[in-house]
Amino acid sequence: FCHALNEAMYNDKNANPPVRTRRDNGAGSITLRKDGRWMGSIQYGYKADGKPKRITVYGKTQQEAKRKLREKSEEFVKNDGNIILAKSIKDWFSEWLYKELKYTLKPKSFDAKERTINKFIIPNFGYIQINQLTSKDVQALINKMVKQGYSLSQIDKVRSTIAQKYRLGMQNNEVTINPALNAKLPASLKAEVEAKQVLALSEEEVKKLTEQAYKTYPNGTKVYSRGEFIVFLLNTGLRLGEAAALTWDDVDFDNHTITVNKSYVQALNRDKNNINPQTQKPYAYTMILQKSPKTTRSTRVIPLNKEAQRALKGLWDCNKKYELVCANENGKPNVSSNLNRSLKYMLKQAGISTSYSVHSLRHTFATQLFRNHVDIEIISQLLGHADTTITYNTYIHIIQAEKIEAVGSLDFVK
């Protein structure tokens, strides 16, 4: 090697061929160029056309080139014999979020994924290289979120998002391990969730709320503009977004059924030209119509009971000039904040606890079906759940109560 260096120093530099020194496998190579500089090179995979991807460094001396190459080599990780350029978690997750998920997820799902990555994953792990994240790091973040009072649902979103990206990374030979697999969710929070019951109105409360919804002033004017909408939700079990998107051509008046095949979701307003006419500023959120259902079983036909038919007639009288069945006074879809505000006021006026929300109306519908001993498969289909497991897990406390009542009915000796 010294002989080659001496030749490079004393002979005509344009007449000398490059001198290459071999290093350890995967450590790259060092070459003396014709111009007298040393060049270090390392390969880290292949381009789409099959040509190798390389990182190249230069130095005035062999030692300088070695040093620069060693520094670059520290950014790489060996995986199945390939040399892979390590990225920071910030770059890796951001690229995945905005170049892939943005075009594959529905708007509301993308909002949730973006919030999880930008609020929790990047601030805590952003500048760690992707191959250096460990199970201990992920567990430490979970423990930190528990202390900060985050819900089990939010903590699990963080863990599952990390697991999902690393699973894809392993498939693409970008990383060798999935650090989220051994991270554990706190048992204390699991117990809280299992003990937490869904809020559903009692039969007496349903009667009071229904009476309140139809109240009128002495001149016959309705007290509550959204009264029929709330009764309609209470008797159909629709998600708010599904009811908001319902159009009159989805209603079969002859057979007393409605067809659910689309939904409105409230998502971040990413169109800065979507301006609020009152404030002349971009909306923070916007309503987006999704024509594809939430699950494969979300598209469904729901029969209407007499109370739902009565509410639908009231909605027709008010909204027949609009396309939407449950339109607001401007013909636009109702948003959750306005409807929840109306419901809270109605509950208060009826002397009912204001702890209930619009989603409680859906739970009430399901609970009444269980108490009337309707088969869980039918209930699951009416609710549009992906499968009966979701229905079972959501209403386990109701199911257990029904079991106790059923067994009690077998007491032969009274």
Side-chain angles (χ1 to χ4, degrees), residues 145-371:
M145 292 179 69
V146 172
K147 290 181 180 179
Q148 292 174 339
Y150 286 101
S151 68
L152 179 65
S153 173
Q154 183 60 73
I155 296 171
D156 194 37
K157 283 177 184 176
V158 172
R159 185 186 68 163
S160 61
T161 298
I162 294 172
Q164 180 187 3
K165 178 54 180 167
Y166 271 84
R167 186 164 55 248
L168 292 171
M170 291 176 71
Q171 293 172 2
N172 296 327
N173 287 331
E174 294 177 286
V175 291
T176 56
I177 61 169
N178 190 334
L181 291 183
N182 294 324
K184 306 296 182 185
L185 294 176
S188 58
L189 278 185
K190 283 185 179 180
E192 282 181 27
V193 172
E194 289 171 0
K196 186 178 179 181
Q197 297 183 358
V198 294
L199 286 176
L201 283 78
S202 67
E203 289 187 28
E204 184 62 30
E205 288 173 331
V206 168
K207 290 178 183 177
K208 286 183 179 179
L209 180 60
T210 302
E211 289 174 2
Q212 191 70 30
Y214 286 115
K215 277 197 170 182
T216 60
Y217 292 110
N219 62 2
T221 306
K222 295 176 183 178
V223 173
Y224 305 104
S225 61
R226 296 182 177 89
E228 280 100 346
F229 188 8
I230 287 171
V231 174
F232 187 69
L233 289 173
L234 193 57
N235 287 274
T236 58
L238 293 179
R239 301 176 178 95
L240 174 55
E242 294 172 337
L246 202 67
T247 53
W248 288 113
D249 57 5
D250 296 323
V251 179
D252 185 339
F253 285 100
D254 294 331
N255 295 309
H256 308 300
T257 62
I258 55 173
T259 300
V260 181
N261 52 27
K262 52 191 174 295
S263 179
Y264 267 109
V265 296
Q266 197 167 346
L268 281 173
N269 176 26
R270 298 177 188 275
D271 179 8
K272 298 310 175 185
N273 295 318
N274 188 6
I275 304 296
N276 184 329
Q278 295 180 341
T279 64
Q280 293 301 309
K281 294 180 180 180
Y283 286 103
Y285 291 88
T286 187
M287 297 290 282
I288 298 175
L289 181 63
Q290 289 183 172
K291 294 187 178 181
S292 56
K294 182 176 181 180
T295 70
T296 55
R297 298 211 310 182
S298 289
T299 297
R300 60 202 189 276
V301 176
I302 298 177
L304 303 177
N305 63 17
K306 290 182 179 180
E307 199 59 64
Q309 292 175 45
R310 178 188 175 193
L312 188 64
K313 184 181 182 304
L315 289 167
W316 170 257
D317 292 340
C318 295
N319 295 335
K320 57 187 174 184
K321 59 184 174 181
Y322 300 127
E323 182 183 17
L324 296 175
V325 173
C326 302
N328 64 15
E329 57 274 12
N330 298 315
K332 303 295 182 181
N334 273 283
V335 297
S336 59
S337 57
N338 291 341
L339 198 61
N340 266 306
R341 190 160 45 247
S342 296
L343 175 61
K344 298 286 185 186
Y345 182 72
M346 289 171 61
L347 291 169
K348 184 178 180 180
Q349 295 302 112
I352 304 171
S353 168
T354 57
S355 59
Y356 298 113
S357 68
V358 169
H359 203 62
S360 300
L361 304 178
R362 176 171 163 85
H363 290 319
T364 301
F365 174 79
T367 299
Q368 292 301 321
L369 291 175
F370 275 112
R371 287 174 177 161

Side-chain angles (χ1 to χ4, degrees), residues 196-198 367 392-402:
K196 186 178 179 181
Q197 297 183 358
V198 294
T367 299
Y392 184 89
N393 290 338
T394 304
Y395 298 101
I396 180 64
H397 65 290
I398 300 295
I399 295 170
Q400 295 291 8
E402 290 302 308

